[in-house]
Amino acid sequence: MQKSLVTHFRLTAVLALAGVLFCCGPAGAAEVLLLHSGAGPTPWNQRLASGFIEGLGSAASVRQAFLSAEGTDEDAFDAAYDRLAGTLAGAAPDVVVAEGAAAFAFARKFANLFPDAPVIYCAMARPDPADLSECGNCTGVAMTSAVRRSVALIFAMRPETRLLVAIADRTQESARLMDRVNEAMRLFDDRAQVLFPGFEPGDDNGLDLKTLGDTLASVPSTGVVLFLGFSEDRDGNPVTDEAVAALIRERAAAPVYLLGDEVFGSGAVGGWMTSAKAVGADAARVVRRALDGEDVRELLPPPTRPVLRFDGTALARFGLRAPDKAEVVNPPAGTVEERPVVPVTGLIWVVGLAAAVVLIALLRRRYRP
């Protein structure tokens, strides 16, 4: 059912110059276009922009532009091209930084908007070699996810864990991460089950915000949540980080571990997370080399690595301790709020969740080679 990223965003991307931000630089300084995949500024992409601007310093000024995913046809996509072409008329950037797969697909398709400008991707997994070849004068900073280390961390911090609930959406990146979770759980399948709500036999339609909230509220005391990402609902509608953060803050009944820091600060525990600011800083280092005249096609930048970071208040709520040498922010002040592990309103849902776990265990044992 899933289409390729390029095809998807040819059909759905609409450019929205929802905000323009300039980083002051000296007269005559180079200009960099930071093209975001989202519809507008978010806490996450602005932390990325902050790391990027700080990393560039006075080497260049920065303009931000944003993509949205509200269009449904080629006409809307072409209109987006026309708007950006008008904005850049007579002022083509020296370097383009594409934040995310949508922006990278747009930059590849409409390379004529940025004549002679190298394209640097970031905030995405390493692209297919064919996409890089199509792009030509391109390189980038891949964003890695520490799935195996995250799963091992969960069982090291909570040895009593018997259920890992992995939250994902219907994007290609989530499908790849779910496969990696299954691989990582092979070391622990004698002591715990893994559940992918919305992607199990008899329940394979994906999640919407309501079912996501019900799931978070109904994880049993021996369960944890590993948040892989949730940028769109089961119908393909965009979901903001703020909406997901609110659900975690209001409904999570079990520790929530993260792969990225998009919703860090919502009451999630944290874990091995990729930092938005680090992504921006890493991209800035590549841009500085490009501005110094290096051929980006010959650059092999190292990926952005996850860091071990926790929310101290969330740790205290669940009686957890951070590993040695981990960074801990937001220490608890006073008494930490305690909420029931399974709210009364979630009892019906958790019964179904438990039944699903039993069914999955039986199916896997029956068909295990």
Side-chain angles (χ1 to χ4, degrees), residues 78-90:
D78 291 340
Y81 168 84
D82 292 340
R83 286 193 295 275
L84 187 56
T87 300
L88 296 178

Side-chain angles (χ1 to χ4, degrees), residues 273-348:
M273 299 184 297
T274 302
S275 160
K277 197 161 185 178
V279 172
D282 288 347
R285 282 190 282 271
V286 180
V287 170
R288 291 180 72 99
R289 295 177 65 180
L291 292 174
D292 286 340
E294 293 191 54
D295 186 343
V296 300
R297 291 167 293 188
E298 297 179 358
L299 300 180
L300 295 173
T304 301
R305 302 292 186 184
V307 295
L308 193 57
R309 181 177 295 140
F310 294 93
D311 182 311
T313 298
L315 288 173
R317 178 191 166 199
F318 294 106
L320 299 173
R321 294 183 59 184
D324 293 341
K325 299 183 179 179
E327 179 184 358
V328 179
V329 301
N330 188 30
T335 303
V336 177
E337 176 190 2
E338 292 289 345
R339 285 183 283 176
V341 172
V342 182
V344 173
T345 55
L347 286 177
I348 294 176

Side-chain angles (χ1 to χ4, degrees), residues 218 342 346-357:
S218 304
V342 182
L347 286 177
I348 294 176
W349 177 259
V350 78
V351 169
L353 186 67
V357 171

